[in-house]
Amino acid sequence: MVLAEKATSSIQGIDGQPAVELEVDSFRFCMVGDICSATACGRIGRELLMAARGVELAVALQSTKGYLYQPEYPLSPFLKRLSERPASGKFRIHVQPFFAVPAEDRGIPWVVSGVPVTAARDVSHDLLSARRIWVFSEAQRQALVDGGVPNVRIEVIRGAVNPEVFHLRVGPTPKLEASSRFRFLFSGHPLRRKGIDLILRAYLEEFKPAEPVELVLKMTHMPKLKKQFSYEYADLAKRLGAINRIFPAVKVIAETWEDRDLAGLMTACQAFLSVDRTYFTALGVREAMACGLPVIGAEPLAGIVGLNKDIGFPVPVQTVRLPAGQLYPESPESSVQEVNVPALRKSMREAFAQPAATRRKGV
């Protein structure tokens, strides 16, 4: 995009010719989303705003709150100042879960979001008002088209990772003590769609307390018992508290960490676990791969991040039905892809038993 010093500005097309002519006063993008969140949408929103600043685009911010009880992510001075200004702008870029996008907006709505492929017909109506939509896989695009969203409005973008933060040379974070144990890492929400129950079951059934192994759970937040959302594990803390000396080691990190510490956590572990029942962005998987961490993940990741046996451990899935309200807020009964737990156990054992080969897969 190029801003002219004249009375008009243009968005350049692929061929370099102006694609859209706009008045300067209207050429303002307003980001809408929870940039204070340690989630994929929060991270993407922050990166887009910083990139817009770098090319001197006129931007504004309408900050929302996804989890009212989640600690706020530390913001840069620029983002703090931006959040205090009026949330004006003709182009409204919603970097939010699709179900959080309002049916009507006072500007021209654009949406950057992941879409649960298995529930696309149920969610497509949430996106019908969006003029442009960016999703993270061809399967997500096709699912929205099948649900009635015009194909011309949708574009597939490759999920991006900040290479200045997530890379092979990141040193282990000092926030995690050094250990000779083989560490499996999960990073994300305490959501049912994330499959934490499947990870815990596979890990506790496969490994014995005497084995030099540890499961690290890096949570965006812990659920509150007074906020019992059906799509979260409200009793997760109770479950984890019941894990004692008769089980292999489990470490829970519930504090909000900055990105560099998260990258350092990844390089301090030996394998990344990702068994979502349905994927929105798979951003955490991409970041782990950028840090050279091999991924033990659900087979659908093959079509999202290119997961295969040469670089990780694809785990077979089976189709199951989730009751209404289990996948996301007000979700209908949904079909999802759930990993086979015996196969997950086998992959975790293989990664643990052959650490040198596992490391080579990651690199």
Side-chain angles (χ1 to χ4, degrees):
M1 297 182 183
V2 178
L3 296 184
E5 295 180 358
K6 300 179 181 179
T8 61
S9 301
S10 11
I11 299 178
Q12 290 193 341
I14 296 175
D15 58 359
Q17 299 300 313
V20 183
E21 290 291 339
L22 300 166
E23 294 296 326
V24 168
D25 290 343
S26 70
F27 199 88
R28 180 182 298 277
F29 298 93
C30 182
M31 186 76 66
V32 183
D34 185 3
I35 67 164
C36 292
S37 171
T39 63
C41 286
R43 190 186 312 283
I44 293 169
R46 291 191 295 273
E47 292 285 1
L48 285 175
L49 285 171
M50 296 305 293
R53 181 194 188 197
V55 295
E56 299 183 353
L57 284 179
V59 292
L61 169 64
Q62 180 179 325
S63 184
T64 62
K65 190 71 174 175
Y67 290 90
L68 298 179
Y69 49 85
Q70 178 176 295
E72 289 195 355
Y73 188 88
L75 296 179
S76 69
F78 167 70
L79 294 180
K80 285 182 180 179
R81 290 195 303 271
L82 197 61
S83 65
E84 297 169 354
R85 298 173 182 171
S88 62
K90 184 173 183 178
F91 294 89
R92 312 270 297 170
I93 307 177
H94 295 267
V95 186
Q96 298 173 287
F98 61 91
F99 52 79
V101 179
E104 295 183 3
D105 203 324
R106 62 179 182 269
I108 299 175
W110 292 357
V111 176
V112 181
S113 185
V115 177
V117 173
T118 53
R121 285 193 176 275
D122 299 316
V123 307
S124 295
H125 66 278
D126 294 310
L127 299 173
L128 288 176
S129 64
R131 298 284 189 89
R132 298 189 69 179
I133 302 168
W134 287 268
V135 293
F136 295 91
S137 72
E138 179 61 29
Q140 292 179 349
R141 184 198 68 79
Q142 188 58 53
L144 286 181
V145 171
D146 293 343
V149 179
N151 184 39
V152 294
R153 298 186 187 177
I154 311 169
E155 185 174 349
V156 178
I157 55 174
R158 241 180 121 173
V161 173
N162 187 337
E164 295 182 0
V165 178
F166 298 93
H167 54 81
L168 286 170
R169 300 176 304 282
V170 176
T173 174
K175 292 189 175 183
L176 183 70
E177 67 278 5
S179 174
S180 60
R181 294 175 180 270
F182 186 101
R183 281 171 161 160
F184 294 98
L185 173 63
F186 166 85
S187 176
H189 298 274
L191 304 180
R192 294 184 183 277
R193 72 174 179 87
K194 290 290 186 178
I196 308 173
D197 56 323
L198 305 174
I199 290 173
L200 282 169
R201 178 182 162 191
Y203 176 73
L204 297 177
E205 290 178 358
E206 181 61 32
F207 296 98
K208 298 178 175 59
E211 294 185 276
V213 64
E214 184 176 39
L215 173 62
V216 179
L217 301 176
K218 173 63 183 75
M219 317 297 293
T220 58
H221 65 285
M222 290 294 284
K224 303 295 184 183
L225 292 178
K226 293 182 179 180
K227 299 280 187 179
Q228 294 193 20
F229 299 118
S230 58
Y231 51 89
E232 285 190 339
Y233 292 105
D235 60 345
L236 183 60
K238 182 178 178 181
R239 293 188 189 191
L240 296 175
I243 297 174
N244 53 41
R245 288 178 296 177
I246 67 172
F247 294 110
V250 175
K251 182 177 183 62
V252 181
I253 303 171
E255 305 88 55
T256 301
W257 283 10
E258 295 192 49
D259 292 351
R260 294 189 185 280
D261 284 315
L262 178 59
L265 174 62
M266 290 176 173
T267 59
C269 297
Q270 283 68 51
F272 189 84
L273 295 167
S274 178
V275 297
D276 292 24
R277 289 180 166 99
T278 187
Y279 285 94
F280 284 15
T281 64
L283 182 60
V285 177
R286 301 175 197 276
E287 292 168 346
M289 295 172 71
C291 291
L293 201 57
V295 175
I296 302 173
E299 276 186 343
L301 284 172
I304 302 175
V305 299
L307 182 65
N308 58 48
K309 293 181 179 180
D310 294 328
I311 63 173
F313 302 84
V315 182
V317 297
Q318 57 212 12
T319 301
V320 300
R321 296 289 292 179
L322 281 186
Q326 299 289 297
L327 185 57
Y328 52 85
E330 300 180 2
S331 65
E333 183 180 357
S334 307
S335 293
V336 297
Q337 301 296 306
E338 191 172 282
V339 295
N340 178 275
V341 172
L344 177 58
R345 290 178 57 180
K346 181 179 178 182
S347 292
M348 293 174 72
R349 173 60 65 179
E350 181 183 347
F352 169 76
Q354 303 178 41
T358 297
R359 172 62 179 165
R360 284 195 296 272
K361 282 177 180 283
V363 173

